[in-house]
Amino acid sequence: MDVIVINGGKVLNGSVAASGAKNAALPLLFAALLAEGEHRFDNVPLLKDIETTELLLNHLNCETQRAGNRLKVTVNEPEELVAPYDIVRKMRASILCLGPLLARYGKAKVSLPGGCAIGSRPINLHIEPLRQLGAHIEIENGYVIAVAKKLVGNHIVFDFATVGGTENIMMAATLCRGTTVLENVAREPEIVDLARCLRSMGAQIEGAGTHVITIEGVDELKPARHSVIPDRIEAGTLLLAGAITGGDVKVTHCVPADLDALINKLADCGFAIETGQDWVRVKPCDRWRSVDVGTAPHPGFPTDLQAQFMALMTQANGTSVITERIFENRFMHVQELVRMGADITPKPQVAVVCGNQGGLSGAPVMATDLRASACLILAGLVAEGETVVSRIYHLDRGYENLEVKLASLGARIERRSV
């Protein structure tokens, strides 16, 4: 078992590049199922979730070949249209194979998903829209079983702006008969990137990045070459690592506009932020203010940066209120921060953080999910003494060599096998 060991107290300085976005790469790889032949993807991060996706694609008779951050996916007709429990349980995003398989082959059997236990993320947000496109769907023995002779376009209004649901139905609708209009859709940059890739495959999609997406179905799609967008969550985490240590950190290979919500909050705290075409820099701040944060769908403050921002607020001057509006169980990192000496009062969907620059002590802590693991590492960067973060398999699902990148900025951090 690996752990991350941090000896706090080092100010981070320097430049570091963000990797490709996990949350963009996963739907892009599943979109390959829509067209037989050789697909090429660039800027694909080296992550456990990507490995799990490759396993599932291999099970579906696709061939995958990686060379660094390039991944080639050769799609062949599957011998069976089943996404088994043993693979799907490792990653919730596996459900994204449902729409492409159903649209292309007329049937699919996909295990109910697993992944981080940060909230219910109901599967009906994928199933009900597919039914509106004409699919017959049942859930039996832990599997979603879907059948459709031919999906037919429809006007679908999502109950709320679900990212995964939007992606699944976008992919399915590309091969529908007729026009599909999706309202109240997610507007995340990853949605826009998926639409860009699908258009390069021959799909007719308009409106990605707005509340309404219109898709005119086509008979078939072709393979494409696509470069994954930078990971805005990793970029934000690296900026927060610089901020929490009072350092001067420049994050390159990112899209500053995708980080507007975080940049604005850092500015409210008193940090000076500089941006360029593909970089963001946070400059040293001796004493920063507490600010309140509420998570919201894009372009609001990302739920995937909430835990990391909470670590920053433990070192702020004053009291902040952090409200989690996306996932009901996303405060599991609070008890671990408290173990390190943080003054946090959790309530349903709200955490009150009494800031105190300094005051954290190194301790053994346990990561409970992907973003909680990053939060605890940030806390360890400023804690006095040694912090040991266990269960870092969560971290490896979504961060490419985070400890190496932080070490390059001056952090005393390493991975150890215990």
Side-chain angles (χ1 to χ4, degrees):
M1 178 182 71
D2 286 355
V3 298
I4 295 289
V5 180
I6 311 115
N7 283 280
K10 290 285 288 182
V11 176
L12 303 192
N13 292 291
S15 178
V16 63
S19 300
K22 172 185 84 81
N23 290 339
L26 298 179
L28 290 170
L29 293 177
F30 286 120
L33 292 168
L34 291 164
E36 188 170 343
E38 185 178 287
H39 302 252
R40 293 179 179 268
F41 298 97
D42 297 322
N43 201 32
V44 179
L46 294 158
L47 302 171
K48 288 294 184 184
D49 275 8
I50 300 297
E51 291 179 10
T52 300
T53 302
E54 287 188 66
L55 282 175
L56 183 49
L57 291 173
N58 295 157
H59 178 82
L60 293 168
N61 203 32
C62 300
E63 302 168 38
T64 57
Q65 183 178 352
R66 179 184 278 277
N69 292 109
R70 292 181 174 178
L71 184 63
K72 181 172 71 174
V73 180
T74 303
V75 178
N76 306 300
E77 187 159 345
E79 295 177 3
E80 61 172 4
L81 297 164
V82 178
Y85 170 76
D86 283 347
I87 299 176
V88 175
R89 67 180 175 84
K90 301 175 183 178
M91 184 183 70
R92 293 195 64 89
S94 301
I95 193 65
L96 293 177
C97 72
L98 178 61
L101 289 177
L102 181 61
R104 183 150 179 248
Y105 300 106
K107 58 182 178 180
K109 181 179 179 180
V110 181
S111 172
L112 293 171
C116 289
I118 58 172
S120 59
R121 295 192 276 190
I123 197 71
N124 65 291
L125 297 174
H126 301 252
I127 291 175
E128 291 306 322
L130 286 173
R131 284 177 172 151
Q132 292 180 59
L133 295 178
H136 175 76
I137 300 177
E138 296 181 354
I139 298 178
E140 296 179 358
N141 302 318
Y143 279 82
V144 178
I145 301 173
V147 178
K149 181 174 290 188
K150 180 65 177 178
L151 295 178
V152 179
N154 202 346
H155 188 164
I156 297 170
V157 181
F158 287 96
D159 290 340
F160 63 89
T162 162
V163 175
T166 299
E167 291 166 342
N168 227 340
I169 308 311
M170 278 176 64
M171 291 187 283
T174 60
L175 295 178
C176 278
R177 184 170 63 245
T179 303
T180 300
V181 178
L182 307 178
E183 286 198 48
N184 194 30
V185 295
R187 294 187 288 162
E188 273 70 4
E190 295 78 14
I191 298 290
V192 178
D193 198 37
L194 175 60
R196 189 181 301 118
C197 180
L198 290 171
R199 281 196 295 269
S200 72
M201 295 170 66
Q204 298 183 24
I205 301 177
E206 295 181 357
T210 74
H211 288 297
V212 181
I213 295 176
T214 302
I215 304 165
E216 190 69 37
V218 297
D219 291 334
E220 63 178 3
L221 298 174
K222 64 181 187 300
R225 180 161 189 170
H226 185 83
S227 183
V228 179
I229 60 172
D231 195 321
R232 60 194 174 99
I233 304 303
E234 184 201 20
T237 300
L238 292 167
L239 283 175
L240 287 165
I244 199 171
T245 64
D248 187 336
V249 170
K250 180 179 180 180
V251 181
T252 63
H253 295 86
C254 65
V255 181
D258 292 347
L259 293 162
D260 278 348
L262 174 63
I263 289 171
N264 291 338
K265 286 298 180 181
L266 286 173
D268 290 345
C269 290
F271 291 95
I273 308 292
E274 296 179 353
T275 62
Q277 183 176 354
D278 64 349
W279 57 267
V280 180
R281 177 185 179 189
V282 60
K283 302 181 76 172
C285 182
D286 292 333
R287 192 162 180 80
W288 53 90
R289 298 181 294 274
S290 293
V291 297
D292 296 341
V293 164
T295 63
H298 189 78
F301 193 91
T303 181
D304 282 350
L305 285 174
Q306 176 259 108
Q308 301 92 305
F309 196 83
M310 186 182 294
L312 180 71
M313 290 299 94
T314 68
Q315 304 299 291
N317 180 29
T319 299
S320 60
V321 177
I322 297 180
T323 306
E324 175 56 55
R325 301 190 181 101
I326 307 299
F327 295 120
E328 67 272 18
N329 294 333
R330 206 157 204 179
F331 282 152
M332 291 186 288
H333 50 278
V334 169
Q335 61 187 7
E336 301 301 298
L337 288 174
V338 170
R339 281 175 49 78
M340 299 177 69
D343 185 351
I344 305 174
T345 303
K347 301 178 181 181
Q349 306 299 108
V350 172
V352 180
V353 184
C354 294
N356 175 21
Q357 290 205 326
L360 294 185
S361 300
V365 291
M366 181 177 65
T368 53
D369 61 71
L370 169 56
R371 306 307 172 184
S373 59
C375 160
L376 297 175
I377 288 173
L378 295 192
L381 293 175
V382 293
E384 182 178 351
E386 183 178 88
T387 298
V388 179
V389 184
S390 61
R391 296 180 67 181
I392 62 165
Y393 53 84
H394 289 297
L395 183 79
D396 294 336
R397 289 184 49 239
Y399 287 94
E400 184 178 40
N401 299 322
L402 181 62
E403 73 277 10
V404 175
K405 293 185 178 184
L406 293 174
S408 75
L409 298 172
R412 292 177 292 196
I413 181 173
E414 63 178 348
R415 179 182 295 251
R416 293 180 189 168
S417 294
V418 296

